[in-house]
């Protein structure tokens, strides 16, 4: 078997140089404050500064270090098998609106690349959903009927250019792929030239109101603004929108490998689980095959490293691996009705916006979100505004899911607290972790390769669920709403805003 990279590293981040920005060390005033330097935040910053608006963007870490830096970089309206379901739940007119929103996002990206002359390996490709299961063959037929009803250009066949067994394949014509970080670096540079102010290592913890909303940062500074855009993946400010119970987090995995054969073109995804998504990427003349999938609810996998193993085994079985170059994982949020929440955070707070719940399709959804919110601020009409508004709440299928997910969170809240483990810290091997009890408290202990121990109280600082060890990424992950912490307990990903408590082992 080919050697597995010891630490996760995303191909996109490793192949792009990005500038550093200072942290915010005083209170400031701005017209529009954006929290989060991913595709939504940077695209909105680009659009709004181009219109001459005064924009400040902050990021809790570094720009493009979150989900956007860890995507598969597909720009497509083929978001799995969804159009038949969208027609059933929302009607053909709304299903069509969804498709058009995605295709408009693709067009926006293509137009921006050519207007700004951005070198980001943008390539038009057809997208394919394949299945080797009889059950899904019928589902793909129903999905093709939905394509026909919505005038989506595509075809149903029984073969694929990749050497994998298939019974049925549904093609969607004229989709695209790119290098997401290089694309957004182009937007970032342009926004800076247009006057964008940017701060990194600056965590937003709350929004308070006087006459206008203010972001309060972890260091106690304020950003007073007319408008605030939460583009931080999970919204750090809820505004009574009840987002923690309206979404659930999932992790999925990506490996980048070199393969003896050349890539035949196209972007592929399986209909059935475990999902396998396959595309190619060319960096400096080298071609990598990206194999992604194997998702699960965050914090609920027994051993996360097994998901990389599964992708590696799949790639080896079907294509052969000559070199294993990168591996990384990403976290996504799915909403009750599978559509993103884009718009005012709640009905009463018209100038605080949220963009979340992209269900692994952040390149299109993030672009749609940036455009909708910017249009709302600029008071331009946008045909998709109402469809994606977070205050929509369809009873079907939401209510059933709502009840199920609330129960799931409650289960983890209680289960984690009662769970007893006997693992002995003394037996812990380097670069491994256990959950044990210290003075009666559930404690996570990680030992690094120099035998240094890091112990943290495993109670999540968001709403008190218990975090679990992620062996693939060496992080503590919360199963309830997806907060993630590093081995020292510091927050990598919200909604938690505070570090886990440290535990003294002596
Ligand atoms: Fe909500 Fe942990 S992320 S309780």
């Amino acid at each position: 078997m080919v050697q597995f990279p010891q630490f996760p590293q995303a191909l996109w981040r490793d192949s792009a140089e990005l500038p550093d920005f200072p942290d915010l060390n005083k209170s400031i005033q701005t017209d529009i404050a954006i929290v989060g330097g991913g595709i939504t935040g940077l695209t909105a910053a680009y659009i709004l500064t181009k219109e001459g608006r005064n924009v400040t963007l902050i990021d809790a870490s570094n720009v493009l270090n979150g989900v956007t830096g860890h995507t598969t970089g597909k720009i497509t309206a083929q978001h799995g098998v969804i159009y038949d379901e969208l027609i059933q739940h929302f009607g053909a007119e709304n299903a069509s609106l969804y498709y058009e929103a995605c295709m408009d996002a693709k067009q926006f990206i293509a137009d921006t690349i050519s207007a700004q002359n951005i070198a980001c390996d943008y390539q038009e490709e057809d997208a394919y959903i394949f299945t080797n299961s009889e059950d899904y063959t019928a589902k793909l037929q129903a999905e093709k009927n939905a394509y026909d009803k919505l005038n989506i250009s595509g075809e149903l066949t029984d073969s694929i250019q990749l050497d994998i067994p298939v019974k049925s394949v549904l093609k969607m014509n004229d989709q695209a792929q790119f290098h997401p970080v290089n694309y957004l670096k182009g937007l970032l540079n342009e926004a800076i030239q247009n006057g964008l102010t940017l701060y990194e290592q600056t965590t937003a913890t709350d929004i308070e109101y006087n006459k206008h909303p203010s972001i309060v940062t972890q260091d106690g500074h304020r950003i007073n603004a007319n408008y605030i855009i939460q583009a931080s993946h999970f919204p750090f400010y809820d505004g009574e929108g009840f987002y923690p119970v309206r979404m659930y987090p999932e992790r999925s995995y990506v490996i980048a490998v070199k393969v003896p054969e050349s890539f035949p073109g196209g972007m592929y995804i399986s209909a059935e689980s475990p999902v396998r998504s396959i595309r190619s990427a060319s960096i400096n003349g080298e071609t990598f095959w990206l194999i992604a999938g194997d998702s699960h609810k965050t914090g609920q996998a027994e051993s996360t490293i097994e998901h990389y193993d599964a992708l590696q085994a799949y790639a080896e079985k079907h294509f052969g691996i000559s070199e294993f170059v990168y591996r990384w994982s990403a976290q996504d949020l799915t909403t009750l009705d599978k559509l993103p929440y884009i718009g005012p955070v709640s009905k009463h707070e018209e100038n605080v916006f949220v963009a979340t719940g992209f269900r692994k399709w952040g390149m299109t959804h993030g672009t749609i979100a940036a455009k909708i919110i910017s249009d709302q601020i600029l008071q331009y009409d946008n045909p998709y505004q109402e469809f994606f508004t977070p205050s929509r709440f369809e009873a079907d299928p939401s209510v059933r899911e709502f009840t199920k997910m609330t129960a799931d969170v409650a289960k983890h809240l209680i289960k984690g607290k009662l769970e007893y483990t006997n693992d002995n810290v003394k037996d812990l091997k380097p670069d491994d972790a256990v959950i044990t009890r210290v003075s009666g408290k559930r404690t996570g202990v990680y030992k690094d390769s120099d035998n240094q121990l890091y112990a943290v109280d495993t109670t999540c600082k968001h709403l008190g669920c218990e975090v679990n060890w992620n062996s693939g990424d060496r992080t503590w992950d919360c199963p309830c709403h997806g907060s993630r912490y590093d081995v020292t307990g510091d927050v990598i990903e919200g909604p938690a805003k505070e570090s886990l408590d440290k535990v003294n082992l002596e």
Side-chain angles (χ1 to χ4, degrees):
M1 220 184 218
V2 177
Q3 187 65 38
F4 193 83
Q6 196 189 358
F7 292 98
Q9 164 82 295
L11 165 76
W12 316 122
R13 290 281 309 168
D14 196 38
S15 55
E17 290 268 328
L18 288 166
D20 286 329
F21 299 92
D23 60 341
L24 180 68
N25 58 10
K26 59 178 183 200
S27 293
I28 56 167
Q29 181 85 35
T30 187
D31 177 14
I32 301 155
I34 300 175
V35 180
I39 188 162
T40 309
L42 289 174
T43 308
Y46 166 77
I47 296 170
L48 292 163
T49 52
K50 209 160 160 244
E51 294 271 342
R53 301 296 287 258
N54 181 312
V55 182
T56 301
L57 188 148
I58 62 169
D59 194 289
S61 161
N62 296 99
V63 290
L64 295 171
N65 202 27
V67 193
T68 300
H70 294 80
T71 170
T72 53
K74 293 186 193 177
I75 312 160
T76 178
Q78 193 184 54
H79 295 170
V81 182
I82 49 155
Y83 287 97
D84 184 44
E85 190 181 330
L86 286 177
I87 292 173
Q88 315 260 352
H89 290 147
F90 301 103
E93 206 178 309
N94 284 324
S96 193
L97 211 54
Y98 183 87
Y99 171 72
E100 282 160 22
C102 295
M103 294 307 282
D104 277 1
K106 177 184 167 257
Q107 195 59 50
F108 174 91
I109 291 170
D111 291 347
T112 306
I113 289 167
S114 86
Q116 302 300 338
N117 208 7
I118 301 171
C120 60
D121 301 303
Y122 178 86
Q123 236 174 313
E124 297 264 336
E125 297 278 5
D126 295 328
Y128 302 83
I129 305 175
F130 61 89
T131 184
N132 200 29
S133 131
E134 290 296 348
D135 291 352
Y136 278 93
T137 302
K139 283 192 179 154
L140 285 195
Q141 180 60 61
E143 187 73 351
K144 174 64 171 72
N145 297 343
Y147 280 23
D148 293 343
K149 199 168 192 170
L150 303 175
N151 289 322
I152 298 175
S153 167
E155 65 183 288
L156 198 60
T157 63
D158 58 6
S159 67
I160 197 169
Q161 285 168 290
L162 294 173
D163 191 13
I164 42 179
V166 293
K167 287 193 165 60
S168 180
V169 181
L170 179 59
K171 176 163 91 155
M172 185 183 279
N173 295 321
D174 308 324
Q175 307 302 298
Q177 62 183 30
F178 66 167
H179 188 307
V181 173
N182 280 343
Y183 164 68
L184 288 163
K185 193 176 152 185
L187 265 59
L188 171 68
N189 290 339
E190 189 60 23
I192 288 171
Q193 276 191 21
N194 293 336
L196 172 69
T197 308
L198 211 147
Y199 299 98
E200 293 185 322
Q201 315 301 335
T202 301
T203 305
T205 57
D206 205 358
I207 290 177
E208 287 179 1
Y209 281 85
N210 192 341
K211 199 167 160 203
H212 296 292
S214 303
I215 293 171
V216 182
T217 71
Q218 202 164 45
D219 296 336
H221 304 303
R222 281 171 180 275
I223 304 172
N224 302 312
N226 296 316
Y227 301 93
I228 294 172
I229 303 175
Q230 299 189 71
S232 51
H233 198 212
F234 203 108
F236 68 93
Y237 171 76
D238 195 59
E240 296 182 4
F242 300 107
Y243 292 94
V245 291
R246 293 170 66 192
M247 296 189 289
Y248 64 88
E250 281 197 321
R251 285 206 84 67
S252 54
Y253 300 82
V254 189
I255 61 172
V257 294
K258 289 194 190 165
V259 160
E261 59 192 275
S262 54
F263 196 83
M267 307 184 294
Y268 307 85
I269 191 163
S270 66
E272 60 268 45
S273 292
V275 168
R276 297 289 178 258
S277 158
I278 305 154
R279 63 159 279 195
S280 68
S282 289
I283 310 282
N284 302 328
E286 287 189 289
T287 301
F288 301 93
W289 288 45
L290 307 190
I291 322 282
D294 234 64
S295 59
H296 60 85
K297 281 201 178 169
T298 299
Q300 296 189 21
E302 287 297 315
S303 164
T304 50
I305 207 83
E306 282 172 12
H307 297 281
Y308 292 110
D309 289 342
L311 294 179
Q312 178 173 15
Y314 179 84
E316 258 164 6
K317 179 173 169 196
H318 295 294
F319 318 119
I321 299 179
S322 49
E323 198 183 331
F324 196 142
V325 195
Y326 295 97
R327 67 177 178 93
W328 69 91
S329 69
Q331 183 155 299
D332 278 284
L333 295 159
T334 299
T335 68
L336 299 180
D337 56 12
K338 298 188 185 165
L339 300 179
Y341 298 132
I342 302 168
V345 67
S346 67
K347 277 189 175 149
H348 317 290
E349 290 170 272
E350 294 271 296
N351 42 3
V352 175
F353 297 91
V354 72
T356 189
F358 293 168
R359 202 176 61 93
K360 302 186 182 69
W361 302 105
M363 298 301 99
T364 35
H365 285 160
T367 306
I368 293 168
K371 192 74 179 67
I372 289 177
I373 294 172
S374 301
D375 283 347
Q376 277 173 290
I377 292 172
L378 297 165
Q379 299 188 338
Y380 296 158
D381 286 338
N382 186 300
Y384 312 116
Q385 184 182 318
E386 211 175 306
F387 183 59
F388 289 105
T389 185
S391 57
R392 75 178 180 270
F393 211 85
E394 297 290 333
D396 178 31
S398 312
V399 171
R400 237 185 11 245
E401 277 300 307
F402 180 93
T403 315
K404 212 171 79 199
M405 283 192 307
T406 311
D408 199 39
V409 167
K411 188 180 87 192
H412 283 282
L413 198 63
I414 295 159
K415 181 176 160 275
K417 299 211 181 295
L418 298 178
E419 203 174 71
Y420 181 74
T421 86
N422 264 325
D423 291 317
N424 194 328
V425 176
K426 287 198 193 93
D427 299 334
L428 193 55
K429 294 193 187 74
D431 194 25
D432 204 358
V434 285
I435 290 168
T436 185
R437 296 235 168 224
V438 174
S439 308
K441 276 197 164 175
R442 194 177 183 269
T443 302
V445 183
Y446 170 72
K447 185 191 265 187
D448 72 12
S449 34
D450 297 326
N451 293 324
Q452 166 90 32
L453 294 172
Y454 302 85
V456 292
D457 184 326
T458 55
T459 305
C460 177
K461 289 291 186 172
H462 178 225
L463 295 176
C465 288
E466 296 295 320
V467 299
N468 289 319
W469 179 241
N470 173 344
S471 57
D473 295 342
R474 295 165 182 83
T475 54
W476 295 104
D477 295 356
C478 182
C480 290
H481 315 106
S483 290
R484 300 179 63 228
Y485 305 84
D486 70 15
V487 294
T488 69
D490 286 348
V491 180
I492 301 174
E493 199 162 341
K497 296 160 196 162
E498 280 172 62
S499 307
L500 295 174
D501 289 337
K502 299 204 183 353
V503 174
N504 193 344
L505 289 174
E506 281 152 22

